[in-house]
Amino acid sequence: MKNFVDELKWRGMIHDVTPSTSEFLQKNKTSGYIGFDPTADSLHIGNLVQIMTLVHFQKSGHKPVILIGGATGMIGDPSGKSKERKFLDEKIIIDNQNKIQVQFEKFLNFKGDNSASILNNKTWFENFNLLSFLRSVGKHISVNYMMAKDSVKNRLETGISFTEFSYQLIQGYDFYWLWKNKNVKIQFGGSDQWGNILTGNELIRRIDGGESFALTTPLITKSDGGKFGKTEDGNVWLDEKKTSPYKFYQFWINVSDEDAKKFIKIFTLKEKEEIETLTKSHEKEPHLRILQNALAEEITERVHDKQKLEIAKSTSQILFGKSKKDDFDNLKEDVMNSLSTAVPCVKIKKEEINSDFKNLLTEITNFEIFSSKSELIRLIKNNGLSINKEKILNDDYQLSKNLKFDKYLLLQKGKKNYTFIIVE
RNA sequence: GGGGGGAUACCAAAGCGGCCAACUGGGGCAGACUGUAAAUCUGUUGACUUAUGUCUUCGCAGGUUCGAAUCCUGCUCCCCCCA
């Protein structure tokens, strides 16, 4: 059995860990949990570090527990937030939870010896009335202790509601409940959760004199200082309806060399030796971007599947590879469909396809593709316009004769600027 | 309150009666190179079915002139100096 803490350590996934955690986990098969907010109907790659923590935990023989914050999600964690959070509608929370659950099944084994499980803290908070809470939980933690937490301290100037203030107690009680009822001995989380987790450890110690542990992962940063997991389009989601497999794949392919070295350890399950070999060959031939490819392939396949990965790869080949007209002509329909998720689409009506080439690309498409005919002409003169991977050299191109699958045209301005025209 | 300077395209900044759709730099777009990178070099950068052509544009509104970004009048806004 692998040493969980050592495993995370070489992968650079530990920010803080309570003393003797490693020893405890080596000697005991136990359970550990992470709380997830059901604030969205999908996980995003910002959650991935946490998920991978649980994956390693399970691989080390322990039982991962996913705690859906059905109750806490209704309150809002002040950590890292500068403003009071909006409450979420209860129905939405339940709906979100169901969708998130499916996503976890791609990472964790929910069957067998050390199966993963999903719990919702609503089950124990629902019928927990205020007075009992104050008597059995509130009694053990002083306000002074709570005020000392950064998450609270940072909000004293701007104001914090009692509801958010009490968040750490609620989360602390989660830990206590799981410790008491589910043999959960450790809680994981991002580094911003350290304070909240320790409140749980403290509660367990004060109420029952029990032993428990905490481990947090570092905030994932990018070498250029930008926020990890964000693109121009916003979050990168695991749900293919929110982020297409192609875009998901592209996110990882575009990671910088420096970040790739870091990310491959965190987001893939490759062994140390393999990663070292890959990193070495990457450094020898950086233009091949071996790490980015390995990273993108493994994660995309896990989150989506082999087939969708292949489509994402073919799509990328068309858009960014050295593909020529022939490659484009031989494309299968599923890659074509994927293209429509990859690039902006403009729809035109069937009868419009026979319109004049220049009118079609300007007026008829509401100047979405080209804002003027001059711009279009200029681009053609600069040798920058391609349709279906074929350079357009003059302006009497017959769009209608070049439709793919009777409805698609791939228009390309320069190298990377694509528009997909769909005839309907 | 008194005196002076300014407003030009995405930004900065020249132009001060015709050769101005407007120098130049940045940015944008495209081409070459490349790793879907960085740097570099080149072209392009108001609109019009592509024109040694037409139209619109140099704070706003008028005027002078064959002709105005450029001169005059008024207005709006900005900056500086003195009080």
Short mmCIF file of all heavy atoms in Angstrom, two decimals, chain B residues 66-79:
data_model
loop_
_atom_site.label_atom_id
_atom_site.label_comp_id
_atom_site.label_asym_id
_atom_site.label_seq_id
_atom_site.Cartn_x
_atom_site.Cartn_y
_atom_site.Cartn_z
P C B 66 -14.07 82.44 -53.94
OP1 C B 66 -13.51 83.22 -55.07
OP2 C B 66 -15.40 82.75 -53.36
"O5'" C B 66 -14.06 80.89 -54.33
"C5'" C B 66 -15.08 80.36 -55.17
"C4'" C B 66 -14.70 78.96 -55.60
"O4'" C B 66 -13.53 79.03 -56.48
"C3'" C B 66 -14.27 78.05 -54.48
"O3'" C B 66 -15.39 77.43 -53.87
"C2'" C B 66 -13.40 77.03 -55.20
"O2'" C B 66 -14.15 76.05 -55.88
"C1'" C B 66 -12.69 77.93 -56.23
N1 C B 66 -11.41 78.43 -55.74
C2 C B 66 -10.31 77.55 -55.70
O2 C B 66 -10.47 76.37 -56.04
N3 C B 66 -9.11 78.00 -55.27
C4 C B 66 -8.98 79.28 -54.90
N4 C B 66 -7.78 79.69 -54.48
C5 C B 66 -10.08 80.19 -54.93
C6 C B 66 -11.26 79.74 -55.36
P G B 67 -15.44 77.33 -52.27
OP1 G B 67 -16.68 76.60 -51.90
OP2 G B 67 -15.18 78.67 -51.70
"O5'" G B 67 -14.20 76.39 -51.97
"C5'" G B 67 -14.31 74.98 -52.25
"C4'" G B 67 -13.00 74.31 -51.99
"O4'" G B 67 -11.96 74.97 -52.77
"C3'" G B 67 -12.49 74.38 -50.55
"O3'" G B 67 -13.09 73.39 -49.75
"C2'" G B 67 -10.99 74.15 -50.74
"O2'" G B 67 -10.71 72.77 -50.93
"C1'" G B 67 -10.73 74.88 -52.06
N9 G B 67 -10.22 76.24 -51.85
C8 G B 67 -10.91 77.42 -52.03
N7 G B 67 -10.18 78.47 -51.77
C5 G B 67 -8.94 77.96 -51.42
C6 G B 67 -7.75 78.63 -51.05
O6 G B 67 -7.54 79.84 -50.96
N1 G B 67 -6.73 77.73 -50.76
C2 G B 67 -6.85 76.37 -50.83
N2 G B 67 -5.76 75.66 -50.51
N3 G B 67 -7.96 75.72 -51.18
C4 G B 67 -8.95 76.58 -51.46
P A B 68 -13.30 73.66 -48.15
OP1 A B 68 -14.00 72.48 -47.62
OP2 A B 68 -13.90 75.01 -47.98
"O5'" A B 68 -11.81 73.74 -47.59
"C5'" A B 68 -10.92 72.62 -47.64
"C4'" A B 68 -10.28 72.46 -46.30
"O4'" A B 68 -9.77 73.77 -45.89
"C3'" A B 68 -11.26 72.02 -45.23
"O3'" A B 68 -10.60 71.08 -44.39
"C2'" A B 68 -11.62 73.29 -44.48
"O2'" A B 68 -11.77 73.06 -43.11
"C1'" A B 68 -10.38 74.17 -44.67
N9 A B 68 -10.63 75.62 -44.75
C8 A B 68 -11.80 76.29 -44.99
N7 A B 68 -11.70 77.59 -44.98
C5 A B 68 -10.36 77.81 -44.73
C6 A B 68 -9.60 78.98 -44.59
N6 A B 68 -10.10 80.21 -44.72
N1 A B 68 -8.29 78.85 -44.34
C2 A B 68 -7.76 77.63 -44.23
N3 A B 68 -8.39 76.44 -44.34
C4 A B 68 -9.69 76.61 -44.58
P A B 69 -10.90 69.70 -44.05
OP1 A B 69 -10.16 68.93 -45.04
OP2 A B 69 -12.37 69.52 -43.96
"O5'" A B 69 -10.29 69.42 -42.61
"C5'" A B 69 -11.05 69.64 -41.43
"C4'" A B 69 -10.15 69.83 -40.25
"O4'" A B 69 -9.13 68.82 -40.30
"C3'" A B 69 -9.42 71.16 -40.23
"O3'" A B 69 -10.17 72.13 -39.55
"C2'" A B 69 -8.14 70.82 -39.46
"O2'" A B 69 -8.36 70.83 -38.07
"C1'" A B 69 -7.89 69.37 -39.91
N9 A B 69 -6.97 69.28 -41.06
C8 A B 69 -7.25 68.83 -42.32
N7 A B 69 -6.22 68.86 -43.13
C5 A B 69 -5.20 69.34 -42.34
C6 A B 69 -3.84 69.61 -42.59
N6 A B 69 -3.27 69.40 -43.78
N1 A B 69 -3.09 70.10 -41.60
C2 A B 69 -3.67 70.31 -40.41
N3 A B 69 -4.94 70.10 -40.03
C4 A B 69 -5.65 69.61 -41.05
P U B 70 -10.16 73.64 -39.90
OP1 U B 70 -10.90 74.36 -38.86
OP2 U B 70 -10.53 73.78 -41.32
"O5'" U B 70 -8.61 73.97 -39.86
"C5'" U B 70 -7.91 74.43 -38.72
"C4'" U B 70 -6.48 74.60 -39.15
"O4'" U B 70 -6.20 73.54 -40.10
"C3'" U B 70 -6.20 75.93 -39.84
"O3'" U B 70 -5.14 76.60 -39.17
"C2'" U B 70 -5.80 75.55 -41.26
"O2'" U B 70 -4.69 76.29 -41.72
"C1'" U B 70 -5.41 74.07 -41.14
N1 U B 70 -5.67 73.31 -42.37
C2 U B 70 -4.59 73.02 -43.20
O2 U B 70 -3.46 73.38 -42.94
N3 U B 70 -4.90 72.31 -44.32
C4 U B 70 -6.13 71.86 -44.70
O4 U B 70 -6.24 71.22 -45.74
C5 U B 70 -7.20 72.20 -43.79
C6 U B 70 -6.94 72.90 -42.69
P C B 71 -5.54 77.70 -38.06
OP1 C B 71 -4.26 78.21 -37.50
OP2 C B 71 -6.59 77.16 -37.18
"O5'" C B 71 -6.21 78.88 -38.92
"C5'" C B 71 -5.42 79.92 -39.49
"C4'" C B 71 -6.32 81.00 -40.05
"O4'" C B 71 -6.97 80.52 -41.26
"C3'" C B 71 -7.50 81.38 -39.14
"O3'" C B 71 -7.10 82.32 -38.16
"C2'" C B 71 -8.49 81.95 -40.14
"O2'" C B 71 -8.15 83.27 -40.52
"C1'" C B 71 -8.28 81.02 -41.34
N1 C B 71 -9.23 79.87 -41.35
C2 C B 71 -10.59 80.10 -41.60
O2 C B 71 -10.99 81.25 -41.80
N3 C B 71 -11.44 79.05 -41.60
C4 C B 71 -10.99 77.81 -41.39
N4 C B 71 -11.86 76.79 -41.41
C5 C B 71 -9.60 77.55 -41.14
C6 C B 71 -8.77 78.60 -41.12
P C B 72 -7.88 82.45 -36.77
OP1 C B 72 -7.15 83.40 -35.90
OP2 C B 72 -8.18 81.09 -36.29
"O5'" C B 72 -9.25 83.12 -37.21
"C5'" C B 72 -9.32 84.49 -37.58
"C4'" C B 72 -10.77 84.86 -37.82
"O4'" C B 72 -11.30 84.03 -38.88
"C3'" C B 72 -11.69 84.59 -36.64
"O3'" C B 72 -11.66 85.65 -35.72
"C2'" C B 72 -13.05 84.45 -37.33
"O2'" C B 72 -13.61 85.69 -37.64
"C1'" C B 72 -12.67 83.73 -38.63
N1 C B 72 -12.83 82.26 -38.54
C2 C B 72 -14.12 81.71 -38.62
O2 C B 72 -15.09 82.48 -38.75
N3 C B 72 -14.27 80.37 -38.56
C4 C B 72 -13.21 79.58 -38.43
N4 C B 72 -13.40 78.27 -38.38
C5 C B 72 -11.89 80.11 -38.35
C6 C B 72 -11.74 81.44 -38.41
P U B 73 -11.91 85.38 -34.15
OP1 U B 73 -11.60 86.63 -33.42
OP2 U B 73 -11.25 84.10 -33.79
"O5'" U B 73 -13.49 85.13 -34.12
"C5'" U B 73 -14.40 86.21 -34.30
"C4'" U B 73 -15.82 85.71 -34.23
"O4'" U B 73 -16.06 84.78 -35.33
"C3'" U B 73 -16.15 84.90 -32.99
"O3'" U B 73 -16.42 85.72 -31.87
"C2'" U B 73 -17.39 84.13 -33.45
"O2'" U B 73 -18.54 84.92 -33.45
"C1'" U B 73 -17.00 83.79 -34.91
N1 U B 73 -16.39 82.46 -35.02
C2 U B 73 -17.24 81.34 -35.09
O2 U B 73 -18.45 81.45 -35.05
N3 U B 73 -16.61 80.14 -35.19
C4 U B 73 -15.25 79.92 -35.25
O4 U B 73 -14.83 78.75 -35.36
C5 U B 73 -14.45 81.09 -35.18
C6 U B 73 -15.03 82.30 -35.07
P G B 74 -16.00 85.21 -30.39
OP1 G B 74 -16.07 86.36 -29.47
OP2 G B 74 -14.77 84.42 -30.49
"O5'" G B 74 -17.21 84.22 -30.07
"C5'" G B 74 -18.53 84.73 -29.89
"C4'" G B 74 -19.53 83.59 -29.96
"O4'" G B 74 -19.38 82.91 -31.24
"C3'" G B 74 -19.32 82.49 -28.94
"O3'" G B 74 -19.84 82.81 -27.66
"C2'" G B 74 -20.09 81.34 -29.60
"O2'" G B 74 -21.48 81.49 -29.45
"C1'" G B 74 -19.69 81.53 -31.07
N9 G B 74 -18.51 80.72 -31.39
C8 G B 74 -17.20 81.15 -31.55
N7 G B 74 -16.37 80.18 -31.82
C5 G B 74 -17.17 79.04 -31.82
C6 G B 74 -16.83 77.67 -32.04
O6 G B 74 -15.71 77.18 -32.29
N1 G B 74 -17.94 76.85 -31.94
C2 G B 74 -19.22 77.28 -31.66
N2 G B 74 -20.15 76.34 -31.61
N3 G B 74 -19.56 78.54 -31.46
C4 G B 74 -18.49 79.35 -31.55
P C B 75 -19.15 82.19 -26.35
OP1 C B 75 -19.74 82.84 -25.16
OP2 C B 75 -17.68 82.18 -26.52
"O5'" C B 75 -19.65 80.68 -26.42
"C5'" C B 75 -21.04 80.37 -26.26
"C4'" C B 75 -21.28 78.90 -26.50
"O4'" C B 75 -20.77 78.55 -27.83
"C3'" C B 75 -20.51 77.96 -25.57
"O3'" C B 75 -21.16 77.80 -24.33
"C2'" C B 75 -20.50 76.68 -26.40
"O2'" C B 75 -21.73 75.99 -26.35
"C1'" C B 75 -20.25 77.22 -27.81
N1 C B 75 -18.82 77.26 -28.15
C2 C B 75 -18.19 76.07 -28.57
O2 C B 75 -18.85 75.03 -28.63
N3 C B 75 -16.87 76.09 -28.89
C4 C B 75 -16.18 77.24 -28.80
N4 C B 75 -14.89 77.21 -29.12
C5 C B 75 -16.79 78.45 -28.37
C6 C B 75 -18.10 78.42 -28.06
P U B 76 -20.25 77.56 -23.01
OP1 U B 76 -21.13 77.73 -21.83
OP2 U B 76 -19.00 78.35 -23.11
"O5'" U B 76 -19.88 76.01 -23.16
"C5'" U B 76 -20.90 75.02 -23.10
"C4'" U B 76 -20.31 73.66 -23.40
"O4'" U B 76 -19.78 73.66 -24.75
"C3'" U B 76 -19.12 73.28 -22.54
"O3'" U B 76 -19.49 72.78 -21.27
"C2'" U B 76 -18.45 72.22 -23.41
"O2'" U B 76 -19.13 70.99 -23.36
"C1'" U B 76 -18.63 72.83 -24.81
N1 U B 76 -17.46 73.64 -25.21
C2 U B 76 -16.33 72.99 -25.66
O2 U B 76 -16.25 71.77 -25.74
N3 U B 76 -15.27 73.81 -26.01
C4 U B 76 -15.25 75.18 -25.96
O4 U B 76 -14.24 75.78 -26.31
C5 U B 76 -16.44 75.78 -25.48
C6 U B 76 -17.49 75.02 -25.12
P C B 77 -18.54 73.12 -20.00
OP1 C B 77 -19.29 72.74 -18.79
OP2 C B 77 -17.98 74.49 -20.14
"O5'" C B 77 -17.35 72.09 -20.20
"C5'" C B 77 -17.59 70.68 -20.13
"C4'" C B 77 -16.42 69.95 -20.72
"O4'" C B 77 -16.17 70.42 -22.08
"C3'" C B 77 -15.08 70.17 -20.02
"O3'" C B 77 -14.94 69.38 -18.85
"C2'" C B 77 -14.10 69.77 -21.12
"O2'" C B 77 -14.01 68.37 -21.25
"C1'" C B 77 -14.79 70.34 -22.37
N1 C B 77 -14.27 71.70 -22.70
C2 C B 77 -13.05 71.80 -23.36
O2 C B 77 -12.43 70.77 -23.64
N3 C B 77 -12.56 73.03 -23.68
C4 C B 77 -13.24 74.13 -23.37
N4 C B 77 -12.73 75.31 -23.70
C5 C B 77 -14.50 74.05 -22.69
C6 C B 77 -14.97 72.83 -22.37
P C B 78 -13.95 69.91 -17.67
OP1 C B 78 -14.14 69.01 -16.52
OP2 C B 78 -14.13 71.37 -17.50
"O5'" C B 78 -12.52 69.66 -18.30
"C5'" C B 78 -11.93 68.37 -18.26
"C4'" C B 78 -10.63 68.41 -19.01
"O4'" C B 78 -10.81 69.13 -20.26
"C3'" C B 78 -9.51 69.19 -18.32
"O3'" C B 78 -8.90 68.45 -17.29
"C2'" C B 78 -8.59 69.47 -19.51
"O2'" C B 78 -7.83 68.33 -19.87
"C1'" C B 78 -9.60 69.77 -20.61
N1 C B 78 -9.84 71.23 -20.78
C2 C B 78 -8.84 72.01 -21.40
O2 C B 78 -7.80 71.44 -21.77
N3 C B 78 -9.03 73.33 -21.57
C4 C B 78 -10.17 73.90 -21.16
N4 C B 78 -10.33 75.22 -21.35
C5 C B 78 -11.20 73.13 -20.52
C6 C B 78 -11.00 71.82 -20.35
P C B 79 -8.45 69.23 -15.94
OP1 C B 79 -8.38 68.24 -14.86
OP2 C B 79 -9.28 70.45 -15.78
"O5'" C B 79 -6.98 69.72 -16.32
"C5'" C B 79 -5.99 68.79 -16.75
"C4'" C B 79 -4.89 69.52 -17.46
"O4'" C B 79 -5.44 70.22 -18.61
"C3'" C B 79 -4.24 70.64 -16.66
"O3'" C B 79 -3.29 70.14 -15.73
"C2'" C B 79 -3.61 71.47 -17.78
"O2'" C B 79 -2.42 70.89 -18.26
"C1'" C B 79 -4.69 71.40 -18.85
N1 C B 79 -5.60 72.58 -18.84
C2 C B 79 -5.14 73.78 -19.40
O2 C B 79 -4.00 73.83 -19.87
N3 C B 79 -5.96 74.88 -19.40
C4 C B 79 -7.18 74.78 -18.88
N4 C B 79 -7.95 75.88 -18.92
C5 C B 79 -7.68 73.57 -18.31
C6 C B 79 -6.86 72.51 -18.30
#
